[in-house]
Amino acid sequence: VNEAMLTGESDLVQKEVDALLLSGSFLASGAVLAQVHHVGADNYASKLMLEAKTVKPINSRIMKSLDKLAGFTGKIIIPFGLALLLEALMLKGLPLKSSVVNSSTALLGMLPKGIALLTITSLLTAVIKLGLKKVLVQEMYSVETLARVDMLCLDKTGTITQGKMQVEAVLPLTETYGDEAIASILTSYIAHSEDKNPTAQAIRQRFQGQVSYPMLSNLPFSSDRKWGAMELEGLGTVFLGAPEMLLNSEVPEAREALERGSRVLVLALSQEELDHHKPQKPSDIQALALLEILDPIREGAAETLDYLRSQEVGLKIISGDNPVTVSSIAQKAGFADYHSYVDCSKITDEELIAMAEETAIFGRVSPHQKKLIIQTLKKAGHTTAMTGDGVNDILALREADCSIVMAEGDPATRQIANLVLLNSDFNDVPEILFEGRRVVNNIARIAPIFLVKTIYSFILTMICIASVLLGNKEWLLVFPFIPVQITLFDQFVEGFPPFALTFERNIRPVEPKFLKKAIFKALPSGLMVVFSVLFVRIFGSNNGWSSLDMSTVSYYLLGTIGFLSVARACIPLNLWRNLLIIWSIGGFFGTAYLLRDFIEIGTLTNQTAPVFLCLAIIFAMVFTLS
């Protein structure tokens, strides 16, 4: 069994009769009959989980960026809120109700709550859409992670190939045993074998019939050793596995088959007894025959690989098969770097780490080495995804940022995967990538709309608090908006337009530094709102405007700047986006006029209308130039 999930060590552990099996381990080779002693919370794995953190951190860069912003604003809300309330209540002399209302507007505006909700909603819609396309999403945020993947590691069997192996030919290597004798040995071996991997199933399908040799003992196939063995009565110890792992010299026929893209196994015989505790190949091994096994390339694999490469996604193939075989299959599947391969059974871990980034195809990879490759790529700054279907892929799948498995694969892989392809079709990967990019790119596009309010709320709050230093009660600035105004504004700026835009298809590669770019784009709009509030307050006071006139112009300018942010998110324009902008503008001005008494504003007058129009034109020009 493999207890790597519990111990972190990838070495296989031999289990004898009456040995203890720990929950959280998995069967690497052979079969097991076990009696259950503990269930539920008494399980070993469950006890480990209780000792660790029970909540797994969310792997979402968007949410982490928003957490940073919320963490900052959360720290300043209480002192800022108290300062605004005391200023309005004690220094400005406003009633308690007005003081609370104005102060709360500033605090609510600082929190980018809308974009967090919209992010989760967008991810949920992606999960539903992928579910309709037979892709099971077991971790919601893995959709976003896959959108950022720039290095995809593929398992050959079941991914590039169909995983439906068949024995193409059996080539005798000795005159001592003819075709019938070799077929009899293979029939006995596979009949007694407990191996259930695709290769064993292909051999079992080809060699069926009467068993000639009883079994004395059995050593199941292991992906670490690349061979299995069995003691047969009256014959000796039969070995079946990779030629380069069992034989001391290269067989020319095996090389030719490998170059055709076939999987090659050697059937060998020895008179030494099996050592189950320290399995090793014997010194007197004799090659009997070569088995050439074909695995057809998956239809559409070439187009899928070509498309992923065009989308700036690096591709690597990690396989337990012979590197020459993998290279040949990769060439047939249209893999660009098929000539760049290495046999991992012949190199050290240090050499593998040094070659991980430059090499495209890794053959004869052990489960430990698969994990090491993923770790090396992650340390190099890559966001990695791994596809697989067998227990030998589990360590690498757990290590990858995003794990994708086939439904036809081993149940253990499905348990730990982020995404399960229910159709077991590698060609579904681009569609998953598209959904992830749609979510991330659209959130990045609409984020500035939400952050405008955070920016101007923070700056205006600072100015309101600092206005105390002017020493004149009449010059004290109270936050210029009230909650009902912002609520109505949000319906037509932060409500429906961003929600509608998140559903649009957007498959461009994801850009890094989401929060920094969003704040940079939102900053001009936030500064325009601050400028408009200060200008209207100073200009209006000097020209005899009433408080209602100043509130009206400030509110209308706030809406105008919001529309400009929506229009920027809609570029390039089309019919649907033009209608969205028209709906936003019409809804805002229509409700502002009809509900003016309810939201405590008036209408534009001969005095205020020219100022509003001039500022709106200036802001539009600034937007156009920026």
Side-chain angles (χ1 to χ4, degrees), residues 56 59 61 139 141-146 148-151 374-375 377-379 381-386 396-404 418-419:
K56 184 179 179 180
N59 187 18
R61 293 189 188 180
E139 183 183 326
Y141 292 98
S142 61
V143 177
E144 177 196 338
T145 304
L146 187 60
R148 302 182 186 279
V149 165
D150 60 358
M151 187 63 68
I374 297 294
Q375 288 176 329
L377 293 174
K378 289 174 65 176
K379 288 180 181 179
H382 294 289
T383 302
T384 60
M386 172 77 186
L397 289 169
R398 286 181 63 85
E399 187 66 30
D401 295 302
C402 184
S403 55
I404 307 168
N418 300 126
L419 301 162

PDB file of all heavy atoms in Angstrom, residues 56 59 61 139 141-146 148-151 374-375 377-379 381-386 396-404 418-419:
ATOM      1  N   LYS A  56     -10.126  24.084   4.753  1.00  0.00           N
ATOM      2  CA  LYS A  56      -9.074  24.189   3.744  1.00  0.00           C
ATOM      3  C   LYS A  56      -9.079  25.593   3.150  1.00  0.00           C
ATOM      4  O   LYS A  56     -10.138  26.108   2.780  1.00  0.00           O
ATOM      5  CB  LYS A  56      -9.310  23.168   2.631  1.00  0.00           C
ATOM      6  CG  LYS A  56      -8.202  23.143   1.595  1.00  0.00           C
ATOM      7  CD  LYS A  56      -8.485  22.087   0.543  1.00  0.00           C
ATOM      8  CE  LYS A  56      -7.393  22.067  -0.519  1.00  0.00           C
ATOM      9  NZ  LYS A  56      -7.652  21.049  -1.546  1.00  0.00           N
ATOM     10  N   ASN A  59      -8.450  28.500  -2.599  1.00  0.00           N
ATOM     11  CA  ASN A  59      -7.397  28.775  -3.575  1.00  0.00           C
ATOM     12  C   ASN A  59      -7.962  29.659  -4.684  1.00  0.00           C
ATOM     13  O   ASN A  59      -8.174  29.231  -5.804  1.00  0.00           O
ATOM     14  CB  ASN A  59      -6.864  27.470  -4.156  1.00  0.00           C
ATOM     15  CG  ASN A  59      -5.661  27.690  -5.043  1.00  0.00           C
ATOM     16  OD1 ASN A  59      -5.016  28.740  -4.980  1.00  0.00           O
ATOM     17  ND2 ASN A  59      -5.362  26.728  -5.896  1.00  0.00           N
ATOM     18  N   ARG A  61      -7.366  33.577  -6.235  1.00  0.00           N
ATOM     19  CA  ARG A  61      -6.620  34.837  -6.195  1.00  0.00           C
ATOM     20  C   ARG A  61      -7.566  36.033  -6.114  1.00  0.00           C
ATOM     21  O   ARG A  61      -7.250  37.044  -5.496  1.00  0.00           O
ATOM     22  CB  ARG A  61      -5.735  34.958  -7.439  1.00  0.00           C
ATOM     23  CG  ARG A  61      -4.614  33.935  -7.496  1.00  0.00           C
ATOM     24  CD  ARG A  61      -3.643  34.240  -8.621  1.00  0.00           C
ATOM     25  NE  ARG A  61      -2.678  33.164  -8.795  1.00  0.00           N
ATOM     26  CZ  ARG A  61      -1.725  33.173  -9.712  1.00  0.00           C
ATOM     27  NH1 ARG A  61      -1.612  34.199 -10.533  1.00  0.00           N
ATOM     28  NH2 ARG A  61      -0.889  32.163  -9.819  1.00  0.00           N
ATOM     29  N   GLU A 139     -14.559  21.088  -6.507  1.00  0.00           N
ATOM     30  CA  GLU A 139     -14.125  22.257  -5.737  1.00  0.00           C
ATOM     31  C   GLU A 139     -14.369  23.490  -6.592  1.00  0.00           C
ATOM     32  O   GLU A 139     -13.763  23.645  -7.650  1.00  0.00           O
ATOM     33  CB  GLU A 139     -12.644  22.161  -5.358  1.00  0.00           C
ATOM     34  CG  GLU A 139     -12.180  23.327  -4.497  1.00  0.00           C
ATOM     35  CD  GLU A 139     -10.694  23.259  -4.175  1.00  0.00           C
ATOM     36  OE1 GLU A 139     -10.185  22.140  -4.021  1.00  0.00           O
ATOM     37  OE2 GLU A 139     -10.067  24.330  -4.110  1.00  0.00           O
ATOM     38  N   TYR A 141     -13.655  26.669  -6.590  1.00  0.00           N
ATOM     39  CA  TYR A 141     -12.607  27.622  -6.950  1.00  0.00           C
ATOM     40  C   TYR A 141     -11.568  27.026  -7.893  1.00  0.00           C
ATOM     41  O   TYR A 141     -10.705  27.743  -8.388  1.00  0.00           O
ATOM     42  CB  TYR A 141     -11.935  28.174  -5.694  1.00  0.00           C
ATOM     43  CG  TYR A 141     -12.851  29.061  -4.887  1.00  0.00           C
ATOM     44  CD1 TYR A 141     -13.539  28.576  -3.787  1.00  0.00           C
ATOM     45  CD2 TYR A 141     -13.068  30.383  -5.269  1.00  0.00           C
ATOM     46  CE1 TYR A 141     -14.397  29.384  -3.060  1.00  0.00           C
ATOM     47  CE2 TYR A 141     -13.926  31.202  -4.547  1.00  0.00           C
ATOM     48  CZ  TYR A 141     -14.585  30.697  -3.443  1.00  0.00           C
ATOM     49  OH  TYR A 141     -15.442  31.500  -2.739  1.00  0.00           O
ATOM     50  N   SER A 142     -11.631  25.706  -8.141  1.00  0.00           N
ATOM     51  CA  SER A 142     -10.700  25.093  -9.095  1.00  0.00           C
ATOM     52  C   SER A 142     -10.959  25.583 -10.514  1.00  0.00           C
ATOM     53  O   SER A 142     -10.066  25.553 -11.361  1.00  0.00           O
ATOM     54  CB  SER A 142     -10.820  23.568  -9.048  1.00  0.00           C
ATOM     55  OG  SER A 142     -12.125  23.141  -9.411  1.00  0.00           O
ATOM     56  N   VAL A 143     -12.188  26.057 -10.791  1.00  0.00           N
ATOM     57  CA  VAL A 143     -12.500  26.625 -12.107  1.00  0.00           C
ATOM     58  C   VAL A 143     -11.644  27.862 -12.350  1.00  0.00           C
ATOM     59  O   VAL A 143     -11.073  28.050 -13.425  1.00  0.00           O
ATOM     60  CB  VAL A 143     -13.998  26.966 -12.218  1.00  0.00           C
ATOM     61  CG1 VAL A 143     -14.301  27.616 -13.556  1.00  0.00           C
ATOM     62  CG2 VAL A 143     -14.850  25.720 -12.038  1.00  0.00           C
ATOM     63  N   GLU A 144     -11.535  28.701 -11.325  1.00  0.00           N
ATOM     64  CA  GLU A 144     -10.689  29.893 -11.446  1.00  0.00           C
ATOM     65  C   GLU A 144      -9.219  29.505 -11.547  1.00  0.00           C
ATOM     66  O   GLU A 144      -8.469  30.084 -12.342  1.00  0.00           O
ATOM     67  CB  GLU A 144     -10.892  30.806 -10.235  1.00  0.00           C
ATOM     68  CG  GLU A 144      -9.998  32.033 -10.254  1.00  0.00           C
ATOM     69  CD  GLU A 144      -9.896  32.735  -8.919  1.00  0.00           C
ATOM     70  OE1 GLU A 144     -10.795  32.550  -8.079  1.00  0.00           O
ATOM     71  OE2 GLU A 144      -8.909  33.458  -8.710  1.00  0.00           O
ATOM     72  N   THR A 145      -8.802  28.511 -10.761  1.00  0.00           N
ATOM     73  CA  THR A 145      -7.408  28.071 -10.789  1.00  0.00           C
ATOM     74  C   THR A 145      -7.015  27.586 -12.175  1.00  0.00           C
ATOM     75  O   THR A 145      -5.942  27.923 -12.688  1.00  0.00           O
ATOM     76  CB  THR A 145      -7.181  26.947  -9.759  1.00  0.00           C
ATOM     77  OG1 THR A 145      -7.573  27.410  -8.459  1.00  0.00           O
ATOM     78  CG2 THR A 145      -5.719  26.534  -9.730  1.00  0.00           C
ATOM     79  N   LEU A 146      -7.891  26.776 -12.797  1.00  0.00           N
ATOM     80  CA  LEU A 146      -7.583  26.248 -14.124  1.00  0.00           C
ATOM     81  C   LEU A 146      -7.460  27.376 -15.144  1.00  0.00           C
ATOM     82  O   LEU A 146      -6.672  27.281 -16.096  1.00  0.00           O
ATOM     83  CB  LEU A 146      -8.650  25.259 -14.565  1.00  0.00           C
ATOM     84  CG  LEU A 146      -8.358  24.513 -15.876  1.00  0.00           C
ATOM     85  CD1 LEU A 146      -7.074  23.705 -15.747  1.00  0.00           C
ATOM     86  CD2 LEU A 146      -9.502  23.606 -16.263  1.00  0.00           C
ATOM     87  N   ARG A 148      -6.034  30.088 -14.739  1.00  0.00           N
ATOM     88  CA  ARG A 148      -4.702  30.684 -14.594  1.00  0.00           C
ATOM     89  C   ARG A 148      -3.571  29.701 -14.908  1.00  0.00           C
ATOM     90  O   ARG A 148      -2.397  30.064 -14.837  1.00  0.00           O
ATOM     91  CB  ARG A 148      -4.528  31.208 -13.162  1.00  0.00           C
ATOM     92  CG  ARG A 148      -5.569  32.234 -12.751  1.00  0.00           C
ATOM     93  CD  ARG A 148      -5.303  32.750 -11.349  1.00  0.00           C
ATOM     94  NE  ARG A 148      -6.346  33.615 -10.878  1.00  0.00           N
ATOM     95  CZ  ARG A 148      -6.452  34.908 -11.194  1.00  0.00           C
ATOM     96  NH1 ARG A 148      -5.552  35.455 -11.980  1.00  0.00           N
ATOM     97  NH2 ARG A 148      -7.445  35.644 -10.725  1.00  0.00           N
ATOM     98  N   VAL A 149      -3.927  28.459 -15.232  1.00  0.00           N
ATOM     99  CA  VAL A 149      -2.909  27.440 -15.476  1.00  0.00           C
ATOM    100  C   VAL A 149      -2.063  27.802 -16.696  1.00  0.00           C
ATOM    101  O   VAL A 149      -2.589  28.141 -17.753  1.00  0.00           O
ATOM    102  CB  VAL A 149      -3.583  26.065 -15.689  1.00  0.00           C
ATOM    103  CG1 VAL A 149      -2.601  25.073 -16.313  1.00  0.00           C
ATOM    104  CG2 VAL A 149      -4.097  25.526 -14.367  1.00  0.00           C
ATOM    105  N   ASP A 150      -0.758  27.733 -16.532  1.00  0.00           N
ATOM    106  CA  ASP A 150       0.153  27.967 -17.662  1.00  0.00           C
ATOM    107  C   ASP A 150       1.044  26.754 -17.926  1.00  0.00           C
ATOM    108  O   ASP A 150       1.920  26.799 -18.783  1.00  0.00           O
ATOM    109  CB  ASP A 150       1.019  29.207 -17.422  1.00  0.00           C
ATOM    110  CG  ASP A 150       1.888  29.087 -16.184  1.00  0.00           C
ATOM    111  OD1 ASP A 150       1.796  28.060 -15.476  1.00  0.00           O
ATOM    112  OD2 ASP A 150       2.662  30.018 -15.903  1.00  0.00           O
ATOM    113  N   MET A 151       0.794  25.667 -17.179  1.00  0.00           N
ATOM    114  CA  MET A 151       1.548  24.436 -17.399  1.00  0.00           C
ATOM    115  C   MET A 151       0.629  23.243 -17.124  1.00  0.00           C
ATOM    116  O   MET A 151       0.194  23.030 -15.994  1.00  0.00           O
ATOM    117  CB  MET A 151       2.771  24.373 -16.475  1.00  0.00           C
ATOM    118  CG  MET A 151       3.690  23.198 -16.766  1.00  0.00           C
ATOM    119  SD  MET A 151       4.435  23.272 -18.420  1.00  0.00           S
ATOM    120  CE  MET A 151       5.524  24.706 -18.225  1.00  0.00           C
ATOM    121  N   ILE A 374       5.953  18.031 -10.516  1.00  0.00           N
ATOM    122  CA  ILE A 374       4.947  19.053 -10.238  1.00  0.00           C
ATOM    123  C   ILE A 374       5.479  20.069  -9.231  1.00  0.00           C
ATOM    124  O   ILE A 374       5.320  21.290  -9.395  1.00  0.00           O
ATOM    125  CB  ILE A 374       3.653  18.409  -9.703  1.00  0.00           C
ATOM    126  CG1 ILE A 374       3.035  17.478 -10.758  1.00  0.00           C
ATOM    127  CG2 ILE A 374       2.648  19.478  -9.295  1.00  0.00           C
ATOM    128  CD1 ILE A 374       2.543  18.172 -11.989  1.00  0.00           C
ATOM    129  N   GLN A 375       6.138  19.582  -8.171  1.00  0.00           N
ATOM    130  CA  GLN A 375       6.697  20.488  -7.163  1.00  0.00           C
ATOM    131  C   GLN A 375       7.732  21.426  -7.774  1.00  0.00           C
ATOM    132  O   GLN A 375       7.756  22.630  -7.463  1.00  0.00           O
ATOM    133  CB  GLN A 375       7.336  19.676  -6.040  1.00  0.00           C
ATOM    134  CG  GLN A 375       6.353  18.960  -5.129  1.00  0.00           C
ATOM    135  CD  GLN A 375       7.052  18.097  -4.092  1.00  0.00           C
ATOM    136  OE1 GLN A 375       8.131  17.573  -4.325  1.00  0.00           O
ATOM    137  NE2 GLN A 375       6.418  17.942  -2.938  1.00  0.00           N
ATOM    138  N   LEU A 377       7.976  22.442 -10.930  1.00  0.00           N
ATOM    139  CA  LEU A 377       7.322  23.416 -11.807  1.00  0.00           C
ATOM    140  C   LEU A 377       6.633  24.503 -10.991  1.00  0.00           C
ATOM    141  O   LEU A 377       6.641  25.676 -11.371  1.00  0.00           O
ATOM    142  CB  LEU A 377       6.315  22.701 -12.710  1.00  0.00           C
ATOM    143  CG  LEU A 377       6.917  21.730 -13.747  1.00  0.00           C
ATOM    144  CD1 LEU A 377       5.812  20.971 -14.466  1.00  0.00           C
ATOM    145  CD2 LEU A 377       7.776  22.484 -14.748  1.00  0.00           C
ATOM    146  N   LYS A 378       6.043  24.129  -9.865  1.00  0.00           N
ATOM    147  CA  LYS A 378       5.387  25.123  -9.005  1.00  0.00           C
ATOM    148  C   LYS A 378       6.407  26.079  -8.394  1.00  0.00           C
ATOM    149  O   LYS A 378       6.166  27.287  -8.302  1.00  0.00           O
ATOM    150  CB  LYS A 378       4.587  24.421  -7.912  1.00  0.00           C
ATOM    151  CG  LYS A 378       3.333  23.722  -8.422  1.00  0.00           C
ATOM    152  CD  LYS A 378       2.638  22.921  -7.339  1.00  0.00           C
ATOM    153  CE  LYS A 378       2.093  23.793  -6.247  1.00  0.00           C
ATOM    154  NZ  LYS A 378       1.334  23.006  -5.246  1.00  0.00           N
ATOM    155  N   LYS A 379       7.544  25.538  -7.983  1.00  0.00           N
ATOM    156  CA  LYS A 379       8.592  26.393  -7.414  1.00  0.00           C
ATOM    157  C   LYS A 379       9.139  27.362  -8.456  1.00  0.00           C
ATOM    158  O   LYS A 379       9.624  28.442  -8.105  1.00  0.00           O
ATOM    159  CB  LYS A 379       9.721  25.528  -6.850  1.00  0.00           C
ATOM    160  CG  LYS A 379       9.349  24.800  -5.568  1.00  0.00           C
ATOM    161  CD  LYS A 379      10.517  23.962  -5.060  1.00  0.00           C
ATOM    162  CE  LYS A 379      10.138  23.219  -3.785  1.00  0.00           C
ATOM    163  NZ  LYS A 379      11.253  22.371  -3.293  1.00  0.00           N
ATOM    164  N   GLY A 381       7.384  28.951 -10.439  1.00  0.00           N
ATOM    165  CA  GLY A 381       6.397  30.016 -10.640  1.00  0.00           C
ATOM    166  C   GLY A 381       5.241  29.647 -11.537  1.00  0.00           C
ATOM    167  O   GLY A 381       4.409  30.509 -11.849  1.00  0.00           O
ATOM    168  N   HIS A 382       5.151  28.394 -11.956  1.00  0.00           N
ATOM    169  CA  HIS A 382       4.056  27.975 -12.838  1.00  0.00           C
ATOM    170  C   HIS A 382       2.817  27.608 -12.019  1.00  0.00           C
ATOM    171  O   HIS A 382       2.924  27.084 -10.908  1.00  0.00           O
ATOM    172  CB  HIS A 382       4.471  26.761 -13.673  1.00  0.00           C
ATOM    173  CG  HIS A 382       5.560  27.047 -14.660  1.00  0.00           C
ATOM    174  ND1 HIS A 382       5.359  27.806 -15.795  1.00  0.00           N
ATOM    175  CD2 HIS A 382       6.874  26.698 -14.670  1.00  0.00           C
ATOM    176  CE1 HIS A 382       6.497  27.889 -16.472  1.00  0.00           C
ATOM    177  NE2 HIS A 382       7.433  27.237 -15.808  1.00  0.00           N
ATOM    178  N   THR A 383       1.658  27.901 -12.597  1.00  0.00           N
ATOM    179  CA  THR A 383       0.398  27.379 -12.062  1.00  0.00           C
ATOM    180  C   THR A 383       0.120  26.087 -12.816  1.00  0.00           C
ATOM    181  O   THR A 383      -0.070  26.093 -14.028  1.00  0.00           O
ATOM    182  CB  THR A 383      -0.754  28.373 -12.264  1.00  0.00           C
ATOM    183  OG1 THR A 383      -0.427  29.614 -11.638  1.00  0.00           O
ATOM    184  CG2 THR A 383      -2.044  27.839 -11.668  1.00  0.00           C
ATOM    185  N   THR A 384       0.107  24.972 -12.098  1.00  0.00           N
ATOM    186  CA  THR A 384       0.107  23.668 -12.742  1.00  0.00           C
ATOM    187  C   THR A 384      -1.247  22.972 -12.662  1.00  0.00           C
ATOM    188  O   THR A 384      -1.986  23.124 -11.692  1.00  0.00           O
ATOM    189  CB  THR A 384       1.159  22.743 -12.105  1.00  0.00           C
ATOM    190  OG1 THR A 384       0.834  22.578 -10.712  1.00  0.00           O
ATOM    191  CG2 THR A 384       2.550  23.333 -12.232  1.00  0.00           C
ATOM    192  N   ALA A 385      -1.540  22.206 -13.707  1.00  0.00           N
ATOM    193  CA  ALA A 385      -2.686  21.290 -13.713  1.00  0.00           C
ATOM    194  C   ALA A 385      -2.178  19.926 -14.125  1.00  0.00           C
ATOM    195  O   ALA A 385      -1.223  19.812 -14.887  1.00  0.00           O
ATOM    196  CB  ALA A 385      -3.769  21.779 -14.673  1.00  0.00           C
ATOM    197  N   MET A 386      -2.813  18.881 -13.593  1.00  0.00           N
ATOM    198  CA  MET A 386      -2.376  17.514 -13.876  1.00  0.00           C
ATOM    199  C   MET A 386      -3.586  16.676 -14.237  1.00  0.00           C
ATOM    200  O   MET A 386      -4.631  16.761 -13.585  1.00  0.00           O
ATOM    201  CB  MET A 386      -1.686  16.936 -12.630  1.00  0.00           C
ATOM    202  CG  MET A 386      -1.353  15.454 -12.709  1.00  0.00           C
ATOM    203  SD  MET A 386       0.110  15.124 -13.713  1.00  0.00           S
ATOM    204  CE  MET A 386       0.114  13.331 -13.739  1.00  0.00           C
ATOM    205  N   ALA A 396       0.904  13.115  -7.641  1.00  0.00           N
ATOM    206  CA  ALA A 396       1.045  14.291  -8.508  1.00  0.00           C
ATOM    207  C   ALA A 396      -0.263  15.071  -8.573  1.00  0.00           C
ATOM    208  O   ALA A 396      -0.256  16.309  -8.592  1.00  0.00           O
ATOM    209  CB  ALA A 396       1.479  13.861  -9.907  1.00  0.00           C
ATOM    210  N   LEU A 397      -1.386  14.366  -8.608  1.00  0.00           N
ATOM    211  CA  LEU A 397      -2.686  15.037  -8.672  1.00  0.00           C
ATOM    212  C   LEU A 397      -2.924  15.874  -7.419  1.00  0.00           C
ATOM    213  O   LEU A 397      -3.441  16.987  -7.491  1.00  0.00           O
ATOM    214  CB  LEU A 397      -3.802  14.003  -8.828  1.00  0.00           C
ATOM    215  CG  LEU A 397      -3.895  13.303 -10.188  1.00  0.00           C
ATOM    216  CD1 LEU A 397      -4.859  12.130 -10.113  1.00  0.00           C
ATOM    217  CD2 LEU A 397      -4.340  14.278 -11.274  1.00  0.00           C
ATOM    218  N   ARG A 398      -2.538  15.340  -6.274  1.00  0.00           N
ATOM    219  CA  ARG A 398      -2.715  16.085  -5.022  1.00  0.00           C
ATOM    220  C   ARG A 398      -1.786  17.293  -4.961  1.00  0.00           C
ATOM    221  O   ARG A 398      -2.123  18.307  -4.357  1.00  0.00           O
ATOM    222  CB  ARG A 398      -2.462  15.175  -3.824  1.00  0.00           C
ATOM    223  CG  ARG A 398      -3.575  14.173  -3.558  1.00  0.00           C
ATOM    224  CD  ARG A 398      -3.259  13.334  -2.336  1.00  0.00           C
ATOM    225  NE  ARG A 398      -3.176  14.158  -1.143  1.00  0.00           N
ATOM    226  CZ  ARG A 398      -4.221  14.517  -0.396  1.00  0.00           C
ATOM    227  NH1 ARG A 398      -5.430  14.126  -0.743  1.00  0.00           N
ATOM    228  NH2 ARG A 398      -4.066  15.248   0.685  1.00  0.00           N
ATOM    229  N   GLU A 399      -0.622  17.180  -5.576  1.00  0.00           N
ATOM    230  CA  GLU A 399       0.356  18.261  -5.517  1.00  0.00           C
ATOM    231  C   GLU A 399       0.015  19.395  -6.480  1.00  0.00           C
ATOM    232  O   GLU A 399       0.337  20.562  -6.214  1.00  0.00           O
ATOM    233  CB  GLU A 399       1.744  17.707  -5.854  1.00  0.00           C
ATOM    234  CG  GLU A 399       2.877  18.704  -5.658  1.00  0.00           C
ATOM    235  CD  GLU A 399       3.073  19.083  -4.203  1.00  0.00           C
ATOM    236  OE1 GLU A 399       2.789  18.258  -3.319  1.00  0.00           O
ATOM    237  OE2 GLU A 399       3.492  20.232  -3.953  1.00  0.00           O
ATOM    238  N   ALA A 400      -0.637  19.086  -7.601  1.00  0.00           N
ATOM    239  CA  ALA A 400      -0.935  20.091  -8.626  1.00  0.00           C
ATOM    240  C   ALA A 400      -1.927  21.128  -8.111  1.00  0.00           C
ATOM    241  O   ALA A 400      -2.755  20.848  -7.234  1.00  0.00           O
ATOM    242  CB  ALA A 400      -1.482  19.411  -9.875  1.00  0.00           C
ATOM    243  N   ASP A 401      -1.854  22.323  -8.677  1.00  0.00           N
ATOM    244  CA  ASP A 401      -2.808  23.374  -8.307  1.00  0.00           C
ATOM    245  C   ASP A 401      -4.227  22.982  -8.690  1.00  0.00           C
ATOM    246  O   ASP A 401      -5.185  23.334  -8.006  1.00  0.00           O
ATOM    247  CB  ASP A 401      -2.425  24.691  -8.999  1.00  0.00           C
ATOM    248  CG  ASP A 401      -1.092  25.223  -8.513  1.00  0.00           C
ATOM    249  OD1 ASP A 401      -0.964  25.449  -7.297  1.00  0.00           O
ATOM    250  OD2 ASP A 401      -0.181  25.399  -9.332  1.00  0.00           O
ATOM    251  N   CYS A 402      -4.353  22.271  -9.800  1.00  0.00           N
ATOM    252  CA  CYS A 402      -5.670  21.817 -10.250  1.00  0.00           C
ATOM    253  C   CYS A 402      -5.527  20.395 -10.794  1.00  0.00           C
ATOM    254  O   CYS A 402      -4.688  20.145 -11.659  1.00  0.00           O
ATOM    255  CB  CYS A 402      -6.227  22.748 -11.338  1.00  0.00           C
ATOM    256  SG  CYS A 402      -7.900  22.333 -11.870  1.00  0.00           S
ATOM    257  N   SER A 403      -6.313  19.467 -10.272  1.00  0.00           N
ATOM    258  CA  SER A 403      -6.235  18.070 -10.689  1.00  0.00           C
ATOM    259  C   SER A 403      -7.478  17.683 -11.479  1.00  0.00           C
ATOM    260  O   SER A 403      -8.601  17.974 -11.071  1.00  0.00           O
ATOM    261  CB  SER A 403      -6.075  17.155  -9.476  1.00  0.00           C
ATOM    262  OG  SER A 403      -7.112  17.373  -8.538  1.00  0.00           O
ATOM    263  N   ILE A 404      -7.241  17.022 -12.615  1.00  0.00           N
ATOM    264  CA  ILE A 404      -8.326  16.615 -13.516  1.00  0.00           C
ATOM    265  C   ILE A 404      -8.194  15.113 -13.751  1.00  0.00           C
ATOM    266  O   ILE A 404      -7.132  14.639 -14.161  1.00  0.00           O
ATOM    267  CB  ILE A 404      -8.235  17.363 -14.866  1.00  0.00           C
ATOM    268  CG1 ILE A 404      -8.151  18.872 -14.646  1.00  0.00           C
ATOM    269  CG2 ILE A 404      -9.416  17.022 -15.760  1.00  0.00           C
ATOM    270  CD1 ILE A 404      -7.776  19.654 -15.894  1.00  0.00           C
ATOM    271  N   ASN A 418     -10.004  17.705  -8.268  1.00  0.00           N
ATOM    272  CA  ASN A 418     -10.806  18.929  -8.313  1.00  0.00           C
ATOM    273  C   ASN A 418     -11.900  18.836  -9.370  1.00  0.00           C
ATOM    274  O   ASN A 418     -13.013  19.312  -9.165  1.00  0.00           O
ATOM    275  CB  ASN A 418      -9.923  20.141  -8.618  1.00  0.00           C
ATOM    276  CG  ASN A 418      -8.844  20.357  -7.576  1.00  0.00           C
ATOM    277  OD1 ASN A 418      -7.669  20.437  -7.895  1.00  0.00           O
ATOM    278  ND2 ASN A 418      -9.230  20.446  -6.313  1.00  0.00           N
ATOM    279  N   LEU A 419     -11.567  18.228 -10.505  1.00  0.00           N
ATOM    280  CA  LEU A 419     -12.503  18.110 -11.628  1.00  0.00           C
ATOM    281  C   LEU A 419     -12.499  16.674 -12.135  1.00  0.00           C
ATOM    282  O   LEU A 419     -11.442  16.056 -12.252  1.00  0.00           O
ATOM    283  CB  LEU A 419     -12.096  19.050 -12.767  1.00  0.00           C
ATOM    284  CG  LEU A 419     -12.026  20.552 -12.436  1.00  0.00           C
ATOM    285  CD1 LEU A 419     -11.206  21.283 -13.481  1.00  0.00           C
ATOM    286  CD2 LEU A 419     -13.415  21.149 -12.366  1.00  0.00           C
TER     287      LEU A 419
END
